[in-house]
């Protein structure tokens, strides 16, 4: 497995994916800064409107606000208070200790499993493209080849996500140079710096990495069987980007259901619909494990059955 990881790490594809993930991390930070500036502009706009009507700002801020939905459109009954609270929450999100929550709760939450699936397709396609499977099978069994590739792929995913987190946290640490607190919002920076979402970071990282690896695993095996990366990419793109959740226990529905449970979304730059409630008992975890084992066994069997004569 270590040799396979060395082989993957030396390839241009590895560094291409790493560059894409780091770029994505940077864009998530930029969107966070833009969100703060947007809340400030809206707050100042509604302050000017309130003053023009002769209303007292403090009285408006003491009133509650609520959000309702009308045909997928948010309607806020007290927008001044809403953007005031959102501005404070967005500043708390800039704390370095909240970086894991902020990056993983952004669109990175969906895009990283998607890119992990693409990476699985590319890894599987390498032997198909360069016709190296025959040589590999002279040295190892098909199961050993797959196991080494999957293990090396998992290590690559860990490097991708850790590198993106390190970059994002570095940008978070310099965030005060990009945006300064506006005094008109009565923000208490000392209090804001104490707010932390760090306690859920291990769970957040484990969940996202687990789903990303599952996406990698499914796409890798599927590509080795169909031997057509274009078909795999089309199916992966359709599933992640276009199709709605296919049922209560569909991967996307589980992700949508877990999203508000494990992340603090007060200052998230990502807006998604909530998923259908899913009961997570020990029997459900066992069923998932059995399902993955059956999928791997089936794909291994199909690989041996559908191998071309030149590969045997």
């Amino acid at each position: 497995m270590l040799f396979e990881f060395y082989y993957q790490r030396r390839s241009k594809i590895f560094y291409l994916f790493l560059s894409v993930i780091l770029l994505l991390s940077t864009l998530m930070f930029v969107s966070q800064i833009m969100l703060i500036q947007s809340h400030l502009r809206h707050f100042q706009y509604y302050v000017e409107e309130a003053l023009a009507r002769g209303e007292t700002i403090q009285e408006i801020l003491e009133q509650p606000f609520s959000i309702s939905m009308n045909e997928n459109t948010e309607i806020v009954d007290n927008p001044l208070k809403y953007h005031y609270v959102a501005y404070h929450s967005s500043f708390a999100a800039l704390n370095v200790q909240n970086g894991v929550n902020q990056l993983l709760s952004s669109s990175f939450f969906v895009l990283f499993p998607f890119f992990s699936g693409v990476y699985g397709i590319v890894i599987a396609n390498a032997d198909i493209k360069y016709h190296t499977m025959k040589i590999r099978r002279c040295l190892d069994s098909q199961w050993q080849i797959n196991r080494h590739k999957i293990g090396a792929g998992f290590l690559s995913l860990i490097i991708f996500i850790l590198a993106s987190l390190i970059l994002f946290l570095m940008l978070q640490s310099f965030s005060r140079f990009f945006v300064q607190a506006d005094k008109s919002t009565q923000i208490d920076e000392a209090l804001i710096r104490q707010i932390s979402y760090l306690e859920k970071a291990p769970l957040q990282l484990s969940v996202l990495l687990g789903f990303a690896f599952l996406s990698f695993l499914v796409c890798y095996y599927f590509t080795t069987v169909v031997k057509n990366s274009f078909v795999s990419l089309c199916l992966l793109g359709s599933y992640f980007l276009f199709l709605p959740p296919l049922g209560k226990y569909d991967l996307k529905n589980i992700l949508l259901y877990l999203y508000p449970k494990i992340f603090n979304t007060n200052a998230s730059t990502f807006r998604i619909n909530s998923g259908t409630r899913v009961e997570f008992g020990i029997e459900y975890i066992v069923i998932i494990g059995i399902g993955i084992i059956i999928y791997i066994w089936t794909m291994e069997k199909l690989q041996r059955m559908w191998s071309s004569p030149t590969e045997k």
Side-chain angles (χ1 to χ4, degrees):
M1 185 183 74
L2 293 179
F3 176 77
E4 178 63 34
F5 176 65
Y6 173 82
Y7 175 76
Q8 288 186 21
R9 190 173 57 83
R10 297 279 293 181
S11 68
K12 295 179 181 178
I13 293 298
F14 177 89
Y15 291 99
L16 175 61
F17 272 85
L18 180 60
S19 300
V20 171
I21 295 299
L22 293 179
L23 175 61
L24 181 62
S25 181
T26 304
L27 292 176
M28 296 304 101
F29 174 75
V30 172
S31 66
Q32 188 174 341
I33 297 298
M34 293 176 64
L35 179 65
I36 293 176
Q37 295 171 341
S38 174
H39 284 311
L40 178 60
R41 286 195 303 270
H42 282 89
F43 172 74
Q44 292 172 338
Y45 170 78
Y46 287 113
V47 165
E48 292 176 1
E49 276 201 339
L51 292 176
R53 294 193 301 265
E55 297 177 343
T56 304
I57 303 303
Q58 192 59 39
E59 290 181 358
I60 299 175
L61 292 178
E62 290 173 355
Q63 298 173 7
F65 71 90
S66 62
I67 303 175
S68 58
M69 298 295 295
N70 182 17
E71 297 181 356
N72 295 326
T73 302
E74 285 187 352
I75 300 177
V76 184
D77 65 354
N78 185 352
L80 190 150
K81 175 67 174 292
Y82 167 77
H83 288 289
Y84 172 84
V85 173
Y87 181 76
H88 283 236
S89 298
S90 297
F91 247 93
L94 286 179
N95 294 339
V96 176
Q97 65 266 29
N98 298 331
V100 175
N101 179 86
Q102 288 310 113
L103 176 62
L104 302 189
S105 66
S106 67
S107 53
F108 194 89
F109 181 72
V110 171
L111 292 177
F112 185 71
F114 171 75
F115 282 120
S116 298
V118 175
Y119 188 68
I121 293 171
V122 172
I123 293 302
N125 189 60
D127 286 325
I128 299 171
K129 180 179 179 181
Y130 298 108
H131 305 286
T132 55
M133 188 56 72
K134 182 178 180 180
I135 299 174
R136 285 177 174 270
R137 282 177 176 163
C138 292
L139 302 174
D140 294 306
S141 67
Q142 182 64 60
W143 163 243
Q144 289 176 318
I145 294 170
N146 290 334
R147 187 181 51 169
H148 292 162
K149 281 182 170 290
I150 291 169
F154 181 65
L155 291 179
S156 297
L157 295 184
I158 292 176
I159 290 177
F160 293 156
I161 198 169
L162 289 181
S164 63
L165 282 171
I166 290 172
L167 175 61
F168 192 82
L169 293 176
M170 289 175 59
L171 293 173
Q172 289 270 89
S173 65
F174 293 108
S175 60
R176 302 308 181 193
F177 294 101
F178 297 99
V179 59
Q180 298 292 327
D182 190 281
K183 300 303 179 183
S184 66
T185 59
Q186 306 172 4
I187 192 167
D188 186 344
E189 292 192 68
L191 180 62
I192 288 294
R193 291 194 184 97
Q194 297 176 16
I195 299 176
S196 174
Y197 315 138
L198 191 60
E199 61 180 12
K200 286 189 175 181
L203 175 63
Q204 295 165 352
L205 186 59
S206 299
V207 168
L208 186 58
L209 186 59
F211 279 113
F213 178 63
L214 183 59
S215 176
F216 171 90
L217 183 71
V218 170
C219 291
Y220 169 79
Y221 268 115
F222 185 80
T223 306
T224 59
V225 170
V226 300
K227 293 180 170 54
N228 191 317
S229 59
F230 179 74
V231 172
S232 299
L233 285 171
C234 288
L235 291 176
L236 178 67
S238 299
Y239 176 75
F240 269 98
L241 304 178
F242 300 109
L243 290 177
L246 302 178
K248 182 177 180 180
Y249 294 104
D250 178 44
L251 173 64
K252 279 173 49 174
N253 182 70
I254 296 173
L255 282 172
L256 293 175
Y257 176 72
L258 288 177
Y259 180 77
K261 306 294 182 183
I262 62 176
F263 293 107
N264 184 299
T265 59
N266 290 339
S268 175
T269 58
F270 189 43
R271 293 289 182 269
I272 56 175
N273 296 324
S274 58
T276 305
R277 180 179 176 83
V278 180
E279 298 293 340
F280 287 98
I282 185 65
E283 66 280 358
Y284 179 66
I285 298 175
V286 171
I287 291 173
I288 291 178
I290 293 175
I292 294 173
I293 292 173
I294 293 175
Y295 176 80
I296 293 174
W297 180 84
T298 303
M299 290 300 172
E300 288 280 348
K301 189 174 182 63
L302 290 175
Q303 277 183 317
R304 291 192 292 270
M305 289 174 56
W306 294 356
S307 296
S308 63
T310 58
E311 289 181 337
K312 292 181 179 179

